[in-house]
Amino acid sequence: MLRTHIIVFVFTALILAGCANSANAYPNPEEETPTSPPLPTSPASGLPTLEGDWEIKMTHSGGIMGLLRTIQISSDGKYTVTDERKNQTVSGKLAANELTKLTEVVSSSKYAAPSGPERMICADCFVFDLTIQGNDTTLTTQLNDISLPESGLAPLVSYLRGIIDKALK
């Protein structure tokens, strides 16, 4: 009996440890941030340039609860957020400072493609399917909780998750 309790405790601790880092990792897009001019996008960033017409789409799925949320934002600031589990769709428009912040986050990101088999081995992790379509090129990538930090896109994913959370409240 004691052995069963220990096994259950260890298993639960391992699951919770894998999820513990996400609580404060996603800032609120409403928080005041100093405005600064957009940073120029360097070809070394590996990301499309957000000039003219562009679009960003992210699907956030997985985890123990089977999350399935999508956000799609266009260059005019219009967005659509969908939560498939709740059968909820919200449309809106980002405030000018939120749109500026989004373009700054993209332009300051330095993308590094995940490599190695460890990028796909992640039981109960969140998965992020991200597409950034600029006027010059398109980036499509799939990241998870393990590959996200080294991808250079954690700030972007975090900002998009903040917009999703705000829209679905």
Side-chain angles (χ1 to χ4, degrees):
M1 180 76 169
L2 179 63
R3 183 177 177 197
T4 303
H5 286 296
I6 292 173
I7 291 172
V8 169
F9 175 77
V10 170
F11 181 72
T12 303
L14 288 173
I15 289 173
L16 293 175
C19 300
N21 195 19
S22 66
N24 294 322
Y26 307 104
N28 183 346
E30 286 186 338
E31 290 177 2
E32 286 296 319
T33 56
T35 57
S36 58
L39 302 170
T41 300
S42 155
S45 74
L47 298 175
T49 305
L50 298 187
E51 295 175 353
D53 290 333
W54 53 264
E55 185 174 279
I56 296 174
K57 181 178 181 181
M58 181 179 80
T59 299
H60 175 199
S61 61
I64 293 172
M65 63 182 152
L67 190 72
L68 182 53
R69 293 177 168 177
T70 302
I71 183 168
Q72 192 164 348
I73 304 173
S74 59
S75 54
D76 60 2
K78 292 181 180 175
Y79 67 83
T80 302
V81 173
T82 304
D83 186 329
E84 295 292 334
R85 288 185 60 225
K86 294 181 180 178
N87 197 23
Q88 180 182 9
T89 299
V90 178
S91 294
K93 187 168 182 176
L94 295 177
N97 65 331
E98 292 173 318
L99 188 58
T100 299
K101 176 67 176 174
L102 176 62
T103 58
E104 287 175 358
V105 169
V106 172
S107 65
S108 64
S109 296
K110 304 289 185 241
Y111 175 64
S115 62
E118 67 279 356
R119 72 178 214 156
M120 298 310 292
I121 301 171
C122 187
D124 293 325
C125 280
F126 286 124
V127 176
F128 307 95
D129 292 302
L130 183 65
T131 300
I132 304 172
Q133 182 178 357
N135 59 354
D136 57 348
T137 188
T138 299
L139 169 78
T140 300
T141 188
Q142 185 178 72
L143 305 165
N144 61 36
D145 289 335
I146 293 174
S147 62
L148 181 62
E150 292 181 12
S151 73
L153 297 178
L156 175 59
V157 168
S158 175
Y159 193 72
L160 293 172
R161 284 186 64 176
I163 295 170
I164 290 170
D165 291 343
K166 177 184 167 189
L168 293 174
K169 282 188 178 182

